Amino acid sequence: MAEYDLIIIGGGPGGYVAAIRAAQLGLKTACVEGRGALGGTCLNVGCIPSKAMLHASEMLHEAETSFAKMGIVAKSVSVDLPQMHAHKKSVIEANTKGIEFLFKKNKVDYIKGWGTIPAPGEVKVGDETHKAKNIVIATGSEPATLPFLEIDEERIVSSTGALDLPKVPKKLVVIGGGVIGLELGSVWKRLGSEVTVIEYLDEITPGQDGEVAREFRKILKKQGIAFELGAAVTGVETLKTKLKVAFQRRKDGSEHQIDADIVLVATGRRPYTKGLALEELGVRMERGVVMTDARFRTNIPGLYAIGDVTEGPMLAHKAEDEGMAVAEEIARGKSHVNYAVIPGVIYTTPEVASVGVTEEALKAQGRDYKAGKFPFMANGRAKANLVSDGFVKLLADAKTGQLLGAHIIGPAAGDLIHEICVGMEMGATAADIARTCHAHPTYSEAVREAALAAGDGAIHF
Ligand code: NAI
């Protein structure tokens, strides 16, 4: 039996990145994964398959709505759903195989099976117990459902089932107006479903900059998605031919019902630690979250945790950053993740991207700030491409001009945001962005114009 410097339990974006970095830093490393493929939720049933479906359905939508305007005649555009799923599957396979290749290249041992931690310094997989000087828990998260709702992944589905529906539902009811609900709601709306999103709060995407969230909802509504805001789902009745979703409007307590063929439960995710035997080990946990210090250490010596099982946003890229950092921590005794600069992206059309603080948070802090805003309507490239919905908003300190946050809704927002991420990481001001030459014509000019708007004024608006 091999003795390892490090065993990582979980082969998702947190775990596999930690494994590769640890091996690069000279640690004898193994990664334990039970689902039969590396890449975790993100690669197998999350980020990557959803992007394949989002892109394919967006192309259909473009063909239906923009082609004629642009002078393209596509007489019979239709959906071949089995082929769309096959495309998605091939993307997943190519990516998971890619990680296996990276493991081999970096000499990371891939231990297949579900791991448990019988004692500090030991990881048991099947009948074999492996010794490790250090263990990292990177077991991710699973969908959290409502207490009265059982997910069967056929008619009442989580994101996993919603990515694999064998036919386009006539009526899809989405519970939860967060990232998953809106991304997958968009997919099926474009493929032909009637989609209603029921959200408990009074606005979609809680935590988002308010102005962006309102604009986002208006655009999605224009695309045909219906919203029931401020509504609590109270039950789902399963009939032979349909589902009946009951909800209560919070403001007046009135009871309502809506029919559905499929119900997508998208009310958040919870840490996944099943089978690890953490309670027996005495690992400190709160509400299922594994508690760590700033150096990813749990209260058990040699046992670390990263990613969705720990505190903070459940995002693949946050887990990846922690994966690299925990490997550096174990190999070199130092690490750093800048939690103030973790972008969030919603891959709808238009995309929504944000980093740093929201305007609401700045107001609540009583901070003196200036906001610069620029609409894509005034961006030449966006107009030429018929994607001029949305805007860029930059927030900067009123005195120093230092960038505090950015909120973008519009074309390629998920890519544009990184200019501001790099700027924030380097302590840049809005004037630094404004003074940087941006190529014309690009969407990124809207970011520069927003920075100009935070100073002496935008040129094109
Ligand atoms: P979420 O936390 O983004 O949204 C859940 C929504 O459900 C919230 O708006 C909440 O108010 C609402 N809700 C909760 N209980 C409800 C109820 N009983 N009735 C009606 N509404 C209710 O969670 P979501 O969308 O399930 O995503 C889970 C995690 O996965 C999140 O942490 C998200 O960041 C991550 N994710 C990230 C993606 C991305 O970065 N593009 C894509 C998909 C998921």
Side-chain angles (χ1 to χ4, degrees):
M1 181 204 314
E3 184 168 340
Y4 290 96
D5 295 318
L6 171 62
I7 295 182
I8 295 146
I9 306 181
Y16 84 72
V17 167
I20 292 171
R21 174 58 99 225
Q24 287 171 340
L25 298 178
L27 301 182
K28 186 170 171 48
T29 306
C31 181
V32 180
E33 172 55 62
R35 76 161 68 223
L38 295 166
T41 297
C42 175
L43 234 138
N44 290 282
V45 288
C47 329
I48 297 299
S50 65
K51 261 79 266 175
M53 296 298 279
L54 276 157
H55 182 66
S57 61
E58 174 53 21
M59 284 175 74
L60 171 74
H61 181 71
E62 254 193 85
E64 288 169 345
T65 57
S66 304
F67 274 20
K69 282 184 211 154
M70 293 187 185
I72 302 169
V73 182
K75 281 199 183 109
S76 62
V77 180
S78 58
V79 176
D80 176 350
L81 193 55
Q83 177 54 32
M84 206 179 274
H85 285 316
H87 159 66
K88 178 192 67 190
K89 199 162 160 245
S90 70
V91 173
I92 296 170
E93 278 169 9
N95 278 290
T96 53
K97 291 268 153 37
I99 305 173
E100 278 190 47
F101 165 78
L102 291 174
F103 271 14
K104 283 198 188 109
K105 182 180 155 203
N106 288 286
K107 302 197 170 44
V108 173
D109 284 352
Y110 172 16
I111 303 174
K112 294 180 185 167
W114 298 105
T116 180
I117 310 172
E122 287 182 10
V123 176
K124 192 170 175 217
V125 184
D127 296 333
E128 264 199 274
T129 301
H130 306 267
K131 293 238 177 261
K133 291 191 190 99
N134 302 282
I135 298 168
V136 172
I137 302 165
T139 44
S141 58
E142 62 176 349
T145 184
L146 299 173
F148 51 81
L149 252 193
E150 201 172 321
I151 291 172
D152 60 22
E153 296 297 13
E154 280 183 13
R155 295 169 79 196
I156 301 180
V157 298
S158 72
S159 50
T160 305
L163 280 167
D164 248 348
L165 297 177
K167 61 178 203 203
V168 179
K170 267 211 190 81
K171 291 182 181 197
L172 172 69
V173 167
V174 177
I175 309 178
V179 191
I180 291 181
L182 299 177
E183 286 187 0
L184 293 178
S186 291
V187 165
W188 293 107
K189 171 71 207 148
R190 292 169 196 160
L191 295 180
S193 299
E194 208 177 282
V195 176
T196 305
V197 175
I198 305 180
E199 165 60 48
Y200 184 81
L201 299 174
D202 294 330
E203 188 51 278
I204 57 170
T205 61
Q208 193 76 238
D209 188 89
E211 216 175 337
V212 169
R214 282 190 296 279
E215 178 78 2
F216 188 29
R217 177 170 44 81
K218 273 192 221 148
I219 293 171
L220 292 176
K221 208 169 155 204
K222 217 164 62 182
Q223 292 173 4
I225 295 181
F227 291 97
E228 275 296 342
L229 301 179
V233 172
T234 50
V236 177
E237 197 184 343
T238 315
L239 305 176
K240 211 163 171 204
T241 54
K242 61 182 172 191
L243 304 164
K244 276 190 173 297
V245 183
F247 63 90
Q248 189 179 50
R249 291 213 177 105
R250 291 196 301 129
K251 66 170 187 246
D252 57 11
S254 58
E255 308 273 355
H256 303 264
Q257 260 195 358
I258 180 169
D259 289 350
D261 305 299
I262 300 284
V263 170
L264 163 60
V265 186
T267 50
R269 297 179 61 88
R270 59 178 173 224
Y272 182 80
T273 53
K274 219 187 281 168
L276 288 177
L278 299 186
E279 292 80 6
E280 290 82 336
L281 267 182
V283 175
R284 195 165 77 81
M285 292 167 74
E286 279 176 25
R287 296 160 282 104
V289 177
V290 178
M291 303 308 289
T292 60
D293 64 11
R295 297 165 66 190
F296 316 105
R297 297 179 300 191
T298 69
N299 59 320
I300 307 293
L303 184 63
Y304 300 75
I306 57 165
D308 286 9
V309 285
T310 62
E311 282 185 299
M314 290 185 174
L315 295 171
H317 45 280
K318 176 250 189 192
E320 285 186 46
D321 277 26
E322 291 181 342
M324 278 191 273
V326 77
E328 285 158 15
E329 179 64 41
I330 292 166
R332 295 178 174 156
K334 38 181 184 229
S335 60
H336 180 67
V337 173
N338 183 0
Y339 290 99
V341 187
I342 294 187
V345 180
I346 310 176
Y347 298 89
T348 42
T349 302
E351 288 185 351
V352 176
S354 60
V355 66
V357 284
T358 61
E359 197 163 355
E360 286 74 19
L362 288 173
K363 280 188 184 140
Q365 289 165 16
R367 188 147 179 191
D368 209 5
Y369 70 93
K370 48 190 178 178
K373 215 176 129 185
F374 189 81
F376 280 101
M377 206 181 61
N379 175 272
R381 183 70 178 278
K383 273 208 293 229
N385 293 2
L386 297 179
V387 287
S388 54
D389 275 343
F391 58 84
V392 177
K393 175 155 102 175
L394 294 191
L395 301 167
D397 185 90
K399 244 196 225 121
T400 63
Q402 192 174 4
L403 290 167
L404 302 171
H407 306 279
I408 307 178
I409 174 164
D415 290 297
L416 296 179
I417 198 75
H418 295 96
E419 173 174 359
I420 303 304
C421 295
V422 173
M424 286 176 70
E425 193 66 47
M426 301 179 80
T429 63
D432 290 326
I433 302 292
R435 284 178 189 282
T436 303
C437 183
H438 287 60
H440 177 74
T442 60
Y443 300 139
S444 74
E445 286 173 289
V447 177
R448 183 195 202 177
E449 290 273 10
L452 283 163
D456 296 330
I459 299 295
H460 292 93
F461 190 65

